[in-house]
Amino acid sequence: MKNLHKIILVGVLALMSTAGYSQKLKKTKVLFVVTSHDKLGDTDKKTGLWIEEFATPYYELVDQGVKVVIASPKGGQPPIDPKSTSPDFQTETTKRFYSDSKTQRKFSKTLKLSEVSHEDYDAVFYPGGHGPLWDLAEDTNSIKLIESFYNNDKPIAFVCHAPAALQNVKDQSGQALVKGKKVTGFTNGEEAAVGLTKIVPFLIEDMLIQNGAIYKKGADWSSFAVSDGLLISGQNPQSAGLVAKTLLEKIKSIKSCSVSN
């Protein structure tokens, strides 16, 4: 009889823990930080956000009940790289975005980075596109924001060119945050393949290595992501979904530990 009581008690406690965890997950908020930069260097060509790198992670998270808030350096409508809207680069998630008027309105009204704080979110995610190489790499609000997320034990995630935002981010000792950590991002080979090696201000792969990161990569254009503690990164547009899944698992793990404690 005592054993039966123990079994019932364990079951009740497990249900309470699961309920508490589920309730916390429903309240999860993730901040997306996107570029405001729309010019490709000194050329007359346009750039900006690569729309697949927004749409795929966005729906991966919101479909799980996560609330996503979007911010950018300038606020308002972010620029979308026109190449990313061509038929060759459309996916199920980009098609969903273009038929989703509610999300498009939300996307057109991003908050200003200067108005957001890590205190309101559980994690931050940076989609790529070439734009971040020019603005987010140098934006002081973005730099402080990433540092505040990391220093408060909250996950930070980046995909493709978005690791550009890590260029000037420091840890609490004043060293590059990526130093000694496994990180990935758009490869030199992939940049050469799109013909922009001499146009971009720096190469993601080179910058990460120069900052002391343990740079990892898969085959060019393959889905590849790595995580090192709170730092999650993906190599290219094909990796956006994998980064989002990895981020979601990290958030679940943190919340699960919070519930059990």
Side-chain angles (χ1 to χ4, degrees):
M1 198 68 180
K2 289 183 178 179
N3 288 337
L4 179 59
H5 288 160
K6 286 182 180 179
I7 292 171
I8 293 172
L9 179 60
V10 169
V12 170
L13 290 174
L15 286 171
M16 290 174 63
S17 178
T18 302
Y21 166 66
S22 299
Q23 194 64 29
K24 284 197 173 186
L25 188 58
K26 288 180 181 178
K27 297 178 181 179
T28 298
K29 288 178 67 177
V30 174
L31 178 69
F32 272 40
V33 177
V34 299
T35 184
S36 292
H37 187 84
D38 67 354
K39 187 180 178 183
L40 199 56
D42 295 326
T43 72
D44 59 356
K45 296 179 180 179
K46 293 294 185 179
T47 189
L49 166 76
W50 196 265
I51 191 60
E52 180 186 357
E53 297 174 28
F54 169 82
T56 299
Y58 178 84
Y59 289 115
E60 182 71 38
L61 295 179
V62 297
D63 285 350
Q64 295 296 319
V66 175
K67 182 178 180 180
V68 172
V69 176
I70 315 165
S72 64
K74 294 181 179 179
Q77 175 72 53
I80 297 174
D81 190 314
K83 284 188 177 181
S84 74
T85 66
S86 69
D88 290 344
F89 297 116
Q90 298 317 297
T91 65
E92 290 304 312
T93 57
T94 61
K95 293 174 184 176
R96 181 177 173 183
F97 173 76
Y98 286 118
S99 64
D100 183 352
S101 58
K102 182 178 179 181
T103 297
Q104 288 183 57
R105 284 195 298 272
K106 180 178 178 180
F107 182 81
S108 71
K109 299 177 180 179
T110 65
L111 301 176
K112 286 186 178 181
L113 270 181
S114 59
E115 299 173 351
V116 299
S117 167
H118 79 89
E119 295 176 352
D120 300 318
Y121 305 95
D122 297 284
V124 64
F125 178 84
Y126 279 66
H130 281 87
L133 291 163
W134 280 275
D135 63 352
L136 294 176
E138 305 290 341
D139 189 278
T140 55
N141 289 313
S142 175
I143 292 166
K144 291 177 182 177
L145 188 69
I146 296 170
E147 291 173 348
S148 64
F149 268 92
Y150 193 85
N151 292 337
N152 284 278
D153 299 319
K154 297 180 179 180
I156 56 175
F158 309 82
V159 66
C160 198
H161 286 88
L166 291 165
Q167 184 182 36
N168 295 301
V169 176
K170 307 295 183 183
D171 64 17
Q172 290 178 310
S173 69
Q175 297 191 61
L177 181 67
V178 298
K179 185 175 181 180
K181 296 182 179 66
K182 291 178 288 186
V183 194
T184 191
F186 209 58
T187 71
N188 289 353
E190 289 167 333
E191 200 69 80
V194 298
L196 296 176
T197 301
K198 295 183 179 180
I199 294 175
V200 295
F202 59 89
L203 298 172
I204 294 293
E205 180 176 342
D206 287 353
M207 179 275 289
L208 291 172
I209 292 172
Q210 289 165 5
N211 278 355
I214 303 170
Y215 181 77
K216 301 287 185 180
K217 61 182 176 181
D220 285 356
W221 313 116
S222 65
S223 177
F224 182 81
V226 295
S227 60
D228 192 328
L230 297 169
L231 175 59
I232 302 165
S233 52
Q235 182 174 313
N236 47 34
Q238 292 83 352
S239 310
L242 182 56
V243 174
K245 287 182 174 67
T246 305
L247 176 60
L248 188 58
E249 288 306 310
K250 178 64 72 174
I251 293 171
K252 286 180 179 179
S253 175
I254 291 172
K255 286 185 174 289
S256 180
C257 289
S258 174
V259 169
S260 63
N261 291 333

